Amino acid sequence: ALVVSTLAEDDTSSLALVSLVDGTTEPLELPGPGMVEGLAAAADGSSVLGFTMTSAPTASPPSYTDALFLVDLEGDRAVEPVHGLDGAPVEVGDWLFVPGEAAAVVRAVDNSLLRFDFTTGQAATPPVPTPLGSYLDLVSASSDGRRLVVADIFGPIALSIDGTEERLPASPLDGVVPSVGGIELLDAGSARVQQVAILDSSGRFASYLVHDGSAARILYQSPDGKGSIEGFRVSPNGQYVAVTVVPNVAASVSDGYYTSAMATSVSTIVLDVESGAVLASVDGFDVTW
């Protein structure tokens, strides 16, 4: 089945379960009117869905602000909020499903990092949070689910499930240490793909996608510096990376979508991580491997 989030003209969302066999739809009841964002499926192949929701101003209590909800399609399909250590719904800054495991990790707006393990088919059993520390950002998870990329005021960190931290300093490009954006780990070491930026002589930031570890190697940069890198996703085996790009920012036109507007000229380029070779280019964005 396919789950679809639809945004209405009044900026409220609806969720529907769509059969891939005959196209029939089944609505999933939300806890009142509001806006759904970040709809995702669990990364362990189970039937659990997650999303955040903010209630509309006209919604009756209880109301939610960036609250994380889980839906178990093998259970009673009830849309249930995830509760923090204080028993209240977690207000989310960032969150992700852990690859290969029935678990989600949340960075709450108070910067507490919490792990929630859930059991498929037991929707009546709420996941209990396990605190993992306090961080300013939750960036990504390794493909084996054993490490998270988080960040504090000093920069990015690889956080192992046993609590071990490893700093991930950016290697210089042409003698300049860049600012770091997104990071995805490739293996058990420090090898990674990351987005970096360097302030150029014109006062603009030049953006690059690089392979880093002991040294930085450029995988992609926009031609003539006119474009932007909007994001990237590394394949589970670490062999490929899909890069979302806007080729010319100055000439771009927004699609006008309310919750996640994107330029109409956006495209996704697939690269080989080892060689940097471009293997494919397609219109669109938001790749999931």
Side-chain angles (χ1 to χ4, degrees):
L2 180 72
V3 176
V4 178
S5 172
T6 304
L7 190 67
E9 291 294 332
D10 64 354
D11 296 328
T12 60
S13 301
S14 60
L15 286 181
L17 185 67
V18 183
S19 169
L20 296 178
V21 177
D22 57 13
T24 57
T25 62
E26 174 189 338
L28 296 175
E29 186 176 354
L30 295 173
M35 183 179 294
V36 167
E37 297 185 80
L39 179 65
D44 67 332
S46 68
S47 60
V48 176
L49 306 172
F51 59 87
T52 60
M53 179 177 166
T54 297
S55 298
T58 57
S60 300
S63 61
Y64 302 95
T65 302
D66 293 323
L68 177 63
F69 288 82
L70 297 180
V71 185
D72 186 353
L73 299 181
E74 289 185 7
D76 60 6
R77 298 182 180 174
V79 177
E80 299 289 350
V82 171
H83 294 85
L85 294 170
D86 60 358
V90 175
E91 190 173 342
V92 174
D94 311 295
W95 79 280
L96 53 81
F97 280 121
V98 180
E101 299 186 31
V105 174
V106 173
R107 183 189 64 84
V109 293
D110 64 358
N111 291 327
S112 60
L113 193 68
L114 303 169
R115 177 186 168 108
F116 295 87
D117 293 280
F118 48 82
T119 303
T120 302
Q122 296 184 17
T125 304
V128 177
T130 300
L132 301 177
S134 179
Y135 298 94
L136 298 179
D137 199 6
L138 170 62
V139 182
S140 63
S142 61
S143 60
D144 62 2
R146 307 292 292 177
R147 292 186 296 167
L148 301 169
V149 177
V150 295
D152 61 13
I153 59 173
F154 301 107
I157 300 167
L159 175 66
S160 299
I161 59 173
D162 63 0
T164 303
E165 294 183 348
E166 178 189 359
R167 289 283 168 187
L168 300 173
S171 300
L173 280 177
D174 296 328
V176 179
V177 177
S179 301
V180 180
I183 298 177
E184 291 199 23
L185 299 169
L186 292 178
D187 54 33
S190 59
R192 57 199 183 270
V193 173
Q194 61 190 30
Q195 185 176 343
V196 300
I198 295 177
L199 186 67
D200 64 21
S201 58
S202 66
R204 296 182 305 176
F205 279 97
S207 186
Y208 305 87
L209 189 72
V210 301
H211 178 282
D212 204 347
S214 57
R217 172 170 55 87
I218 296 175
L219 295 174
Y220 178 83
Q221 63 185 107
S222 62
D224 304 320
K226 295 181 178 180
S228 67
I229 299 173
E230 300 296 315
F232 67 94
R233 293 288 186 273
V234 176
S235 63
N237 64 3
Q239 187 173 357
Y240 309 107
V241 57
V243 191
T244 301
V245 300
V246 175
N248 189 324
V249 174
S252 64
V253 177
S254 173
D255 61 11
Y257 195 69
Y258 186 81
T259 58
S260 52
M262 188 63 72
T264 56
S265 56
V266 67
S267 64
T268 296
I269 299 170
V270 180
L271 307 174
D272 180 86
V273 171
E274 181 66 28
S275 66
V278 176
L279 305 178
S281 178
V282 295
D283 293 337
F285 63 99
D286 203 14
V287 167
T288 298
W289 291 96

